[in-house]
Amino acid sequence: MKSSSELSTDLPTQIAASIRDAIVSGDLIVDERLPSEAELSLQFDVSRATVREALKRLAAQSLIRTQRGATGGAFVNRISFEAAHAQQITTSILLLSMNDVSFETACEARFTLERACAPLSAKRRNSIHINMMREEIERQGEAGLSDEAFCASDVAFHRALVDGADNPVLSYQLAGAVEAMQPLMNMITFTARSRSAIVTLHRDIADAIEAQDGVGASDGLAALEVETQNLARRVFEQRKRPEPKM
Amino acid sequence: MKSSSELSTDLPTQIAASIRDAIVSGDLIVDERLPSEAELSLQFDVSRATVREALKRLAAQSLIRTQRGATGGAFVNRISFEAAHAQQITTSILLLSMNDVSFETACEARFTLERACAPLSAKRRNSIHINMMREEIERQGEAGLSDEAFCASDVAFHRALVDGADNPVLSYQLAGAVEAMQPLMNMITFTARSRSAIVTLHRDIADAIEAQDGVGASDGLAALEVETQNLARRVFEQRKRPEPKM
DNA sequence: AAACTTTAATTGTCTGACAATACTTTTTCA
DNA sequence: TGAAAAAGTATTGTCAGACAATTAAAGTTT
């Protein structure tokens, strides 16, 4: 099990890397039980505390799970799309918020990816996803909806669109791009007029998907991107005026 | 700092979640120093070992880094695109290998996303990425190249294409899709004829990018997808014949 | 045969100690 | 005086050993 990357890092990192390699390379397969902490501490010639810290690192990445009791231990986890989704979203949000990524850049990435999805979603459209999109459009039109709820509904609409492509890998890869936009969108105040413009575009997109018109859906998303970018630009400019850059 | 998600999980998980919330919500900002392990163990009323396991979980997600010495401690990490890339690739590879994702599905996802990139890459094309693509094409034509090296070069070519879009968010989101294909591609044996077909398509794509012809690049990628899918289908069918299912 | 008890294995947590590291302060001495 | 050396100090890294909590399996009783 001791194989690679034994640098000048601390011991738990080395041990975690060693076990991770064994999992990635297939030496340890899903649901296989790792040696007990006591055995591992003998194998790696470190204390149990050190082994535990290594195992916790792996658990944090959902690579293993642990179970107490007589037949317990650490087991190789089957990474679920759900867990991977969640992790990717957290990472994406932090990445954007910590690296001063402009709204423009994030928005471009999101719509570029989503447009790629549109033709597939149109081809494979199915009533479940269409209905979800319609429901969210309905919600977005309700008066008295908070900006935050409007954004959440917007994200749900787009998630339905992406999931409609019926390709789990695609859904997973796009999760970060779609969801990580929400905190950025939340900084925007949506006027009644801007909301109705967005709802109209959403309806166009849903119609195109339902009509299996991939090109139309793509065009609708392109228009939505322009609308969103303009809206953001207006909001940020207006916000700059009262307090003109320190 | 004690805020949310205090369920029936173990203590390190709860503590890690609590600190993670503080980071995600912005209560702890980049490069800020966390209290020392001793202080945290007092705050959370647990032993230092338990705090350490929690911190290791966060370190595993690159959320914090630690430093020894008098002015040391745990600091909130600025998640770099590089680190996020690496994590995403690992997760994507494991996700595909553990969930019996078909070659077809993964391939479709990858090319769908990449096609979305092509217009941007064409518009913003720059000599660095063009040269990288040309270099990889050159390498792919060399005789005596191992299948594995051919695949690695293929990935490098596509990474250059994606990076050419000059949008770091896009590059990050696509990293998983592009790189996670490599282990799947590695299962394929590339004949001289199939290699030359791929190289020709790569050259077409590079030419289109250089000519700022986004549509052409997209079409080239579509053709490459068809070629790749056919190739994979042939290889898998042939492999089934000598050993017909068990 | 079913219900209960005991046993053993394993992870979860705690305590206390010492080592390693790196910055700060003090001392030394040229 | 001023720079180098030494000591001090706060912090993480690692260890050893202990006990608690949990769980499945084996054994015992009814």
Side-chain angles (χ1 to χ4, degrees):
Chain A
M1 198 179 283
K2 211 175 280 189
S3 66
S4 76
S5 46
E6 313 232 347
L7 306 167
S8 61
T9 51
D10 57 63
L11 292 174
T13 304
Q14 289 172 34
I15 294 168
S18 170
I19 297 175
R20 175 166 40 244
D21 285 352
I23 295 174
V24 174
S25 72
D27 286 357
L28 290 169
I29 60 170
V30 166
D31 290 335
E32 187 171 341
R33 184 179 173 280
L34 272 64
S36 73
E37 294 176 356
E39 287 175 286
L40 286 172
S41 63
L42 284 176
Q43 273 185 38
F44 287 102
D45 197 28
V46 295
S47 74
R48 210 188 126 207
T50 303
V51 167
R52 277 184 67 78
E53 291 187 4
L55 294 180
K56 290 294 177 180
R57 296 187 83 107
L58 299 174
Q61 298 173 295
S62 307
L63 274 134
I64 61 169
R65 62 180 182 280
T66 55
Q67 217 173 6
R68 287 215 272 205
T71 58
F75 300 84
V76 177
N77 229 351
R78 155 166 283 119
I79 295 186
S80 67
F81 277 94
E82 208 181 4
H85 255 87
Q87 250 181 264
Q88 224 229 319
I89 290 166
T90 305
T91 305
S92 295
I93 290 175
L94 280 173
L95 197 61
L96 295 198
S97 71
M98 283 179 170
N99 287 279
D100 304 315
V101 172
S102 70
F103 185 92
E104 203 182 338
T105 302
C107 198
E108 175 182 283
R110 173 199 164 154
F111 278 103
T112 299
L113 295 175
E114 226 174 303
R115 271 200 306 275
C117 251
L120 282 180
S121 298
K123 194 165 70 182
R124 304 183 186 154
R125 83 189 189 325
N126 115 355
S127 61
I128 295 175
H129 296 116
I130 298 276
N131 288 343
M132 280 176 70
M133 290 166 73
R134 299 279 185 212
E135 268 174 47
E136 298 301 337
I137 290 173
E138 203 66 35
R139 178 164 307 133
Q140 288 154 25
E142 284 169 15
L145 197 71
S146 72
D147 277 345
E148 207 166 311
F150 183 79
C151 283
S153 172
D154 180 81
V155 168
F157 172 86
H158 288 280
R159 199 171 32 214
L161 193 159
V162 169
D163 289 344
D166 196 29
N167 181 319
V169 179
L170 209 49
S171 291
Y172 157 67
Q173 299 289 358
L174 264 78
V178 173
E179 308 258 351
M181 279 297 292
Q182 187 160 12
L184 295 178
M185 298 282 281
N186 270 333
M187 303 186 338
I188 293 177
T189 317
F190 292 95
T191 63
R193 238 188 80 223
S194 60
R195 284 193 194 190
S196 101
I198 289 171
V199 167
T200 302
L201 286 168
H202 280 178
R203 195 166 286 124
D204 291 347
I205 292 165
D207 289 345
I209 297 272
E210 190 157 17
Q212 299 199 298
D213 172 13
V215 176
S218 267
D219 291 347
L221 283 165
L224 186 55
E225 179 179 358
V226 171
E227 174 70 23
T228 306
Q229 296 273 24
N230 283 339
L231 176 58
R233 213 167 4 246
R234 276 203 301 277
V235 168
F236 291 136
E237 259 164 29
Q238 192 162 27
R239 209 162 284 170
K240 230 185 282 173
R241 240 184 297 151
E243 197 180 22
K245 193 78 173 193
M246 243 174 66
Chain B
M1 199 180 283
K2 212 175 281 191
S3 66
S4 76
S5 44
E6 314 232 347
L7 308 166
S8 61
T9 52
D10 57 67
L11 293 173
T13 304
Q14 290 172 35
I15 294 168
S18 171
I19 297 174
R20 177 168 36 246
D21 286 352
I23 295 174
V24 174
S25 73
D27 287 356
L28 290 168
I29 59 170
V30 167
D31 290 335
E32 187 170 342
R33 183 180 174 281
L34 273 65
S36 72
E37 294 176 357
E39 286 174 287
L40 286 172
S41 63
L42 284 176
Q43 274 186 38
F44 288 101
D45 197 28
V46 295
S47 75
R48 211 189 124 209
T50 303
V51 167
R52 277 184 67 77
E53 290 187 4
L55 294 180
K56 289 295 175 179
R57 297 188 82 109
L58 299 174
Q61 297 173 291
S62 309
L63 274 131
I64 61 169
R65 62 179 183 280
T66 55
Q67 216 174 5
R68 288 216 271 207
T71 57
F75 299 84
V76 178
N77 227 355
R78 155 167 281 122
I79 295 185
S80 67
F81 276 93
E82 208 182 3
H85 253 88
Q87 251 182 265
Q88 224 229 318
I89 290 167
T90 305
T91 305
S92 295
I93 289 175
L94 281 173
L95 197 61
L96 296 198
S97 70
M98 283 178 171
N99 288 280
D100 304 316
V101 173
S102 70
F103 186 91
E104 203 181 338
T105 303
C107 198
E108 176 182 281
R110 174 200 162 155
F111 278 104
T112 300
L113 294 174
E114 228 174 302
R115 271 200 305 274
C117 250
L120 282 180
S121 297
K123 193 165 70 182
R124 301 180 188 156
R125 81 188 191 327
N126 114 357
S127 59
I128 294 175
H129 296 115
I130 298 277
N131 287 342
M132 279 175 72
M133 291 166 73
R134 299 282 184 209
E135 267 174 48
E136 298 300 337
I137 291 173
E138 202 67 34
R139 179 165 307 135
Q140 288 156 25
E142 284 169 15
L145 198 70
S146 73
D147 277 347
E148 206 166 312
F150 183 79
C151 284
S153 172
D154 181 80
V155 167
F157 172 87
H158 287 281
R159 197 170 35 214
L161 194 159
V162 169
D163 289 344
D166 196 28
N167 180 319
V169 178
L170 209 48
S171 291
Y172 157 67
Q173 300 288 0
L174 263 77
V178 172
E179 308 257 349
M181 278 298 292
Q182 187 160 13
L184 295 178
M185 298 282 281
N186 270 333
M187 302 185 336
I188 294 177
T189 317
F190 292 97
T191 62
R193 239 188 78 221
S194 60
R195 284 193 194 189
S196 101
I198 290 171
V199 167
T200 301
L201 286 167
H202 280 178
R203 195 166 287 126
D204 291 348
I205 293 165
D207 288 345
I209 297 274
E210 189 157 18
Q212 299 199 300
D213 172 11
V215 176
S218 268
D219 291 347
L221 283 164
L224 185 54
E225 179 178 0
V226 171
E227 173 71 23
T228 306
Q229 295 273 24
N230 283 339
L231 177 58
R233 210 161 13 239
R234 276 202 301 276
V235 168
F236 291 136
E237 260 164 29
Q238 192 163 27
R239 211 163 285 173
K240 232 185 280 171
R241 240 185 299 151
E243 198 179 23
K245 192 82 173 190
M246 242 175 67

